Amino acid sequence: MKTTFKIEGLSELDKALAELPKATGKNVLRRVARKALTPVAEQMRDRAPKFEGHLAESAGVGSKLTRRQASMHRKAFKDDRASIEMFAGVNDPAGVQQEFGNAHNPPQPFARPAWDATKDGVLATIRDDLGSEIAKAAKRLAKKRGK
């Protein structure tokens, strides 16, 4: 299933981010991304099969991947030092087996339904919070420079 989104106003936000120091801009993006993806992780916890060890407890949001995940992940922003990546998912190899099944067990999807249920909220949170977070950071920076 193909989904298309049209997002307007990002160029203005990008210009506002560029006026901030890189570290501050990255922190703003991380805060907004973590806030936006937290409902996805909560839905994963709620939908994960409860009889499978610690699968539900391992769901979370973070910017780091395990060594195995990192080796499989294609770095889309490898050369862009001003960008961030944030992930929502389970930190348990059994998650893949539960989601897609295997030769011995049928699939029991929980991650994709969690994303489908929350994706509109993720985009809405980014839309609503990114501009205000940039403004707050700029205000804090101006106050700090004024001291």
Side-chain angles (χ1 to χ4, degrees), residues 18 25 34-35 39 41 46 48 56 63 66 85 99 101 105 117 139 147:
R34 184 173 303 278
K35 182 178 178 182
D46 293 344
S63 60
T66 65
E85 287 182 312
E99 184 76 16
N105 297 311
K139 187 176 177 181
K147 286 186 175 181

Side-chain angles (χ1 to χ4, degrees), residues 61-76:
V61 177
S63 60
K64 303 284 187 211
L65 296 173
T66 65
R67 185 178 297 158
R68 180 178 173 279
Q69 291 167 334
S71 70
M72 296 174 10
H73 177 65
R74 183 179 65 85
K75 292 284 187 185

Side-chain angles (χ1 to χ4, degrees), residues 2 14-15 24 38 40 43 45 79 85 87 100 105 111 121:
K2 183 178 178 181
D14 192 37
K15 288 176 187 172
T24 304
T38 297
V40 179
Q43 281 285 321
R45 269 186 225 109
D79 296 331
E85 287 182 312
F87 306 96
F100 300 107
N105 297 311

Side-chain angles (χ1 to χ4, degrees), residues 1 3 40 43 47 110-121:
M1 179 173 87
T3 305
V40 179
Q43 281 285 321
R47 294 171 185 260
F110 64 96
R112 179 58 189 246
W115 169 251
D116 288 341
T118 57
K119 65 184 172 190
D120 293 333

Side-chain angles (χ1 to χ4, degrees), residues 3 10 12 17-18 25-26 44 46 48 51 60 65 76-77 90 92:
T3 305
L10 289 182
E12 291 86 3
L17 273 173
K26 281 185 163 190
M44 284 183 192
D46 293 344
F51 58 86
L65 296 173
F77 303 112
V90 293
D92 187 342

Side-chain angles (χ1 to χ4, degrees), residues 128-142:
D128 296 341
D129 292 356
L130 187 56
S132 64
E133 282 292 327
I134 292 171
K136 287 179 194 176
K139 187 176 177 181
R140 282 192 303 268
L141 188 63

